[in-house]
């Protein structure tokens, strides 16, 4: 995948969250010199701009169990179309969020492009596996995994019927969990999605966890890897400007090592970086961390 041009696409959306601000994430990441960082590691880059996304103030949240879902679903569909086009044109999609609900559109784009060999590495403090029946908040950014693997309640999955198929649960691995709701915990047990919590990372080390995750995916026929990176997987001492911070996350070097191992696998077919919230940040530090991690995933090395 190394020779392919990187296509940057912003999704300035915070409709899936209860906190405003992640809609400014794409601008903050670009401002942190994203294009320059990718070119410095030898990648050709084309910035394709942003999707048009409605702002929360112009909408009625409507369903309290699926807030703003009627406005979010069209964004998913448009994003899927744009990602599918990039994949078929031979580009590596780099999606800038925006809240994590957008993953339904980005992963859906790969599935729409016929990527039957796709696997997903999901870096996140949260499982994002709620649905309308289990959600404590009604925020859709806590539900994308349920949509992607097709294991939500009928009310939520009614909004995913446009997907050509669902991703098999054994082709998604979660890394960095430390804040999981009771309903999500039960669903994870039922579906058998492979998870690595911060406890396991503490015990095994991030290098071993990342390599085990990649081995698991490759053992299930994965030849194209999509990395969904919620910056809240990183400890808020390092990355304070995120939608839903949780203490006890990955260190700066652990985060980079995970991305360096992803780059070494030569499987990276696309990536999204989500939940950067400049309102909660300090001097754009979190966006700068995001850019550094993207550069590592796309091949930056110390020597």
């Amino acid at each position: 995948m190394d020779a392919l041009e990187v296509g940057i696409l912003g999704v300035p959306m915070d409709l899936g969250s209860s906190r405003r601000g992640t809609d400014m994430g794409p601008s903050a990441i670009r401002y942190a010199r994203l294009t320059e960082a990718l070119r410095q590691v030898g990648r050709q880059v084309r910035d394709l701009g942003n999707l048009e996304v409605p702002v929360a103030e112009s909408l009625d949240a409507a369903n309290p169990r699926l807030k703003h879902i009627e406005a979010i679903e069209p964004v998913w569909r448009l994003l899927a179309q744009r990602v599918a086009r990039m994949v078929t044109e031979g580009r590596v999609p780099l999606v800038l969020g925006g809240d994590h609900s957008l993953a339904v559109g980005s992963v859906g784009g790969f599935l729409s492009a016929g990527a039957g060999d796709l696997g997903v590495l999901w870096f996140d403090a949260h499982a994002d596996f709620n649905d309308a029946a289990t959600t404590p908040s009604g925020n859709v950014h806590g539900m994308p995994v349920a949509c992607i693997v097709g294991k939500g309640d009928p009310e939520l999955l009614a909004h995913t019927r446009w997907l050509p198929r669902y991703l098999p649960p054994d082709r998604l691995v979660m890394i960095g969990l430390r804040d999981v709701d009771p309903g999500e915990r039960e669903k994870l047990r039922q579906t058998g999605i492979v998870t690595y919590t911060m406890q396991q990372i503490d015990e095994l080390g991030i290098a071993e966890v990342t390599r085990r995750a990649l081995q698991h995916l490759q053992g299930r026929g994965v030849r194209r890897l999509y990395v969904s990176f919620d910056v809240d997987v990183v400890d808020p001492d390092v990355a304070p400007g995120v939608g839903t911070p949780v203490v006890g996350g990955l260190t700066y070097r652990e985060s980079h090592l995970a991305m360096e191992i992803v780059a070494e696998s030569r499987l990276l077919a696309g990536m999204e970086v989500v939940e950067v919230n400049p309102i909660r940040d300090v001097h754009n530090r979190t966006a700068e961390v995001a850019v550094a991690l993207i550069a590592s995933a796309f091949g930056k090395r110390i020597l």
Side-chain angles (χ1 to χ4, degrees), residues 137-159:
S137 67
N139 295 328
V140 180
H141 76 160
M143 307 181 192
V145 171
C147 295
I148 290 165
V149 302
K151 299 297 182 182
D153 70 299
E155 187 177 8
L156 175 63
L157 294 186
H159 296 278

Side-chain angles (χ1 to χ4, degrees), residues 41-93:
V41 296
R43 305 305 296 254
Q44 293 184 330
V45 182
R46 180 173 298 186
D47 196 320
L48 302 171
N50 288 346
L51 297 187
E52 288 191 18
V53 180
V55 296
E57 285 81 2
S58 69
L59 303 168
D60 182 350
N63 186 346
R65 308 297 293 175
L66 295 171
K67 295 176 182 176
H68 298 303
I69 190 66
E70 300 297 338
I72 291 171
E73 183 181 346
V75 178
W76 287 346
R77 289 172 177 262
L78 180 58
L79 177 56
Q81 292 169 7
R82 296 290 296 276
V83 168
R85 186 185 309 165
M86 278 193 271
V87 172
T88 56
E89 290 175 348
R91 292 193 179 96
V92 177

